[in-house]
Amino acid sequence: MCSSEESPSLNSEGDRVHIHNDLDSVYSRFSKAQKNVVVFAVSFAGLLPMFVTGTFILSIPQIARDLDSTGTAVSLAVSLSVFANAIGGLVWAAYSSFYGRRPMYLWGMPILCMGSFGVAVSPSLRWLLFWRFIQAFGCAGGVSVGAAAIGDIYRVEQRGTAMGIFFGACLLGVALSPITGGTAAHYWSWRSLQWLLGLWGLIEMVFIYLFLPETSHPHSGGIREPMTPFNFVWINPFSSIWLLRSPNIMAVTLANASAMVTEYVLLIPIAYTIGARYHISNEALIGACFLPSGLGNFIASPIAGRLSDTMVKEWKARRKGIWVPEDRLRAILVGGLFVPLSVCLSGLITTYIAGPLGLVLNLFCLFMNGIGVDFVLTPIGSYNVDVLQSRSAEVIAAVTAFRAIILAPVTAAVLPSIETLGLVTTNNIATMIAILGYGLIVLTIRYGDRMRAWVDVGYTVIDAYSPTNQT
C-alpha cells in the first residue's frame, strides 16, 4: 500500500481531515423525509434543463420549415443555449452562495417560463434565438444549485448516494428528451412542446415555493447569510472559474469531459450512424435509440454514488478515522472502463455487423456507455462538493461551464470527422481521450494530497460528518 494512502498527517491546507462532531447539527436540521423531498425537488429541477436542450434537436427540421429558414441556421439555437447554460450556471451558482439555494430557483423558473412561452410564439429566427437564450439561462442553475443543495444536507458518507440519485435523474433527461422531441416533431408540434416546457417550469416553481426549504449552512464562513432580495449585491459570476486552477479540480474536470465526449460521439450523429446503417428514418424511432444510454445512466448513477460512499467509509476506517477526499474517486475504477470500451466497440459493430444483430449490439454499447459515464460523473460531482463545500454550487458551475467549452467544438466536429476519417477512426479517437481521462483519475487518487498542496483554493479543512449520529 502506497505511503500517500497511509499517512495520517493533517495540515492547514486541507490535505488530510479528521472526523469531528462540532458541526453535526448542520446535517441534522432536516429529517429523512425532508431530505427526500429536497432530493426530489432538485432532481426534478435538474431534469428540466436536459429537456430544454434535448427536445429541441430533433425538432430542428420542423422549426426550419415553419420559420422559412434552414436547419443550419436554426442549429445556432443549440450552440446559443449551450452558451446560455454555461453563463447562467455561473450566475445562479455565485448568487446561491450569497442569497441561498431556494431564491435561485424562485428567480430562475419565471425566466425559464418566459423564455419557453417566447420560443413557442417566435415569428422569426431572430426572436427564436433571443428567447432560446432566455429560456436556457433561466434553468441553467438546475444542476449546480441542485448538487450544492444536496451537499448542504448530507454528510460525506451519505452524499454520494444522494448525488447519484440526483445525477441519475438529470442524465435520464439526456435519453428521454430526444424521444420526446422526436415524437413531438413527428406527431405533434414543436410550439406545443415549448408551451409544455413553460408549464413544467410553473409547476416546478410552485412546488419549490411550497416544499423546498433553504438548505445553505447558517452562520457558515463559506456561505454567507441569506439577505433580503431587495438588497441586491453585485457578485462577479466568473470568479468561480478561478477554482479550476486547482490541479485536482482541473484533473477530474478533464476526466469528466472525456467521458462526456464519448457520449456525444455516440449520440449526436446517431441518425447518420446507427440510423443510416440500420435503415431507421422515423424521428421517434431514432429518438428511441437514445433510451439505452439513459437507462444506463439511471441504473448506474445511484449504484456509483453508493459505491463511492462505501469507498469513503472503508478507506476512512483503514486510516482510523482519517478522511482523504480522493477515496471517493476509487468507485470510478470499477465502472469507468466501460466508457472507452463501449465507444470503441460501437464503431466496430456499426461498420462490420449488419442487420438486427448489429442494431442490438449497438444498443447494448449505448447502455454500457450510459453506465460508464455515470460511474465517472457521479463520484466526481460528489468529490467536487466534498473538497469545496463552502463553494459547492460555484465549483459545479465552473466544471460545467469548462466542460461546455470543451464539448462545443466536439459537437461541431463529430460529423465532419466521421465523413473525413470514418466512423471507426473517430470512435477510436474518442476511446483514447476516454483512456486519458481514466488515467487522470488514477493519478488524482494516487497523488491527490500532494496536488492539493500545490494550490490552495479554499479546500474543506474541517470534516463535520459524524459516523455515529447520522440522519
Side-chain angles (χ1 to χ4, degrees):
M1 197 168 298
C2 62
S3 60
S4 66
E5 293 174 349
E6 293 293 340
S7 173
S9 62
L10 170 68
N11 63 38
S12 61
E13 298 298 319
D15 293 338
R16 298 294 165 87
V17 181
H18 270 286
I19 303 302
H20 298 289
N21 291 330
D22 54 333
L23 295 179
D24 184 67
S25 60
V26 168
Y27 300 98
S28 303
R29 294 172 296 157
F30 303 108
S31 67
K32 184 176 181 180
Q34 288 175 312
K35 290 180 179 181
N36 289 338
V37 170
V38 171
V39 172
F40 175 80
V42 300
S43 297
F44 200 46
L47 183 63
L48 185 51
M50 306 302 172
F51 269 82
V52 168
T53 301
T55 56
F56 189 84
I57 295 173
L58 291 180
S59 302
I60 288 176
Q62 189 183 88
I63 296 171
R65 290 193 301 269
D66 194 18
L67 298 182
D68 193 23
S69 184
T70 65
T72 303
V74 175
S75 296
L76 291 174
V78 177
S79 300
L80 193 64
S81 64
V82 170
F83 176 72
N85 264 304
I87 300 299
L90 294 171
V91 171
W92 297 123
Y95 280 95
S96 77
S97 296
F98 193 88
Y99 290 101
R101 318 302 185 196
R102 188 172 183 268
M104 297 306 103
Y105 287 114
L106 297 179
W107 295 351
M109 287 301 167
I111 297 175
L112 161 74
C113 296
M114 182 172 60
S116 298
F117 298 148
V119 170
V121 299
S122 295
S124 65
L125 178 62
R126 181 179 300 177
W127 281 107
L128 176 75
L129 295 176
F130 172 79
W131 288 117
R132 275 290 290 179
F133 183 91
I134 299 299
Q135 181 189 41
F137 185 90
C139 65
V143 174
S144 57
V145 179
I150 289 174
D152 291 339
I153 63 176
Y154 284 100
R155 299 180 179 89
V156 70
E157 298 93 345
Q158 302 170 315
R159 185 176 297 152
T161 302
M163 203 74 78
I165 295 171
F166 171 69
F167 282 121
C170 292
L171 290 173
L172 185 62
V174 175
L176 293 181
S177 58
I179 190 172
T180 303
T183 302
H186 195 77
Y187 299 107
W188 201 22
S189 163
W190 69 273
R191 293 185 186 273
S192 300
L193 182 61
Q194 297 302 317
W195 284 107
L196 187 61
L197 289 174
L199 179 62
W200 181 351
L202 283 175
I203 294 172
E204 179 70 23
M205 181 174 63
V206 172
F207 184 85
I208 287 173
Y209 179 79
L210 294 176
F211 299 109
L212 182 67
E214 178 53 58
T215 63
S216 60
H217 294 180
H219 311 296
S220 168
I223 298 179
R224 290 178 281 267
E225 296 276 355
M227 298 179 62
T228 171
F230 300 104
N231 185 9
F232 180 78
V233 175
W234 165 254
I235 298 174
N236 179 10
F238 299 103
S239 61
S240 55
I241 294 292
W242 196 234
L243 296 173
L244 295 176
R245 74 187 190 277
S246 160
N248 302 65
I249 300 299
M250 178 55 74
V252 298
T253 298
L254 292 173
N256 179 315
S258 71
M260 290 299 295
V261 164
T262 67
E263 186 169 74
Y264 275 51
V265 166
L266 289 176
L267 296 182
I268 286 177
I270 199 169
Y272 303 95
T273 53
I274 294 177
R277 175 63 162 148
Y278 303 107
H279 312 294
I280 304 171
S281 56
N282 184 299
E283 293 96 335
L285 292 179
I286 291 174
C289 291
F290 286 73
L291 285 175
S293 176
L295 183 62
N297 291 149
F298 188 72
I299 291 174
S301 196
I303 296 174
R306 185 174 293 275
L307 181 60
S308 73
D309 283 344
T310 300
M311 292 293 181
V312 169
K313 294 174 185 177
E314 287 186 357
W315 283 88
K316 188 174 67 178
R318 292 188 189 189
R319 300 188 185 89
K320 305 186 188 308
I322 305 279
W323 170 54
V324 178
E326 287 73 31
D327 288 340
R328 184 178 297 283
L329 300 178
R330 296 178 189 276
I332 299 175
L333 303 180
V334 178
L337 286 174
F338 285 158
V339 176
L341 183 63
S342 59
V343 70
C344 179
L345 288 177
S346 179
L348 295 172
I349 290 168
T350 305
T351 303
Y352 297 110
I353 303 180
L357 177 61
L359 177 60
V360 170
L361 290 176
N362 256 304
L363 295 179
F364 179 74
C365 285
L366 292 175
F367 175 72
M368 190 164 57
N369 183 260
I371 290 177
V373 166
D374 251 80
F375 259 93
V376 174
L377 266 60
T378 299
I380 286 177
S382 300
Y383 171 77
N384 288 333
V385 174
D386 288 347
V387 297
L388 285 168
Q389 171 70 64
S390 63
R391 301 186 68 182
S392 51
E394 293 169 83
V395 69
I396 295 292
V399 168
T400 303
F402 186 80
R403 187 178 67 195
I405 293 172
I406 295 176
L407 293 178
V410 170
T411 303
V414 170
L415 278 174
S417 177
I418 291 174
E419 293 170 355
T420 304
L421 303 176
L423 178 61
V424 172
T425 301
T426 299
N427 282 28
N428 283 343
I429 292 172
T431 299
M432 294 306 300
I433 292 173
I435 291 174
L436 290 174
Y438 189 88
L440 287 173
I441 293 297
V442 173
L443 290 175
T444 304
I445 293 171
R446 176 64 179 84
Y447 301 107
D449 53 349
R450 302 180 193 178
M451 292 163 65
R452 276 182 282 119
W454 294 344
V455 180
D456 182 10
V457 293
Y459 298 113
T460 300
V461 197
I462 297 178
D463 187 8
Y465 318 102
S466 167
T468 58
N469 182 24
Q470 296 182 359
T471 299

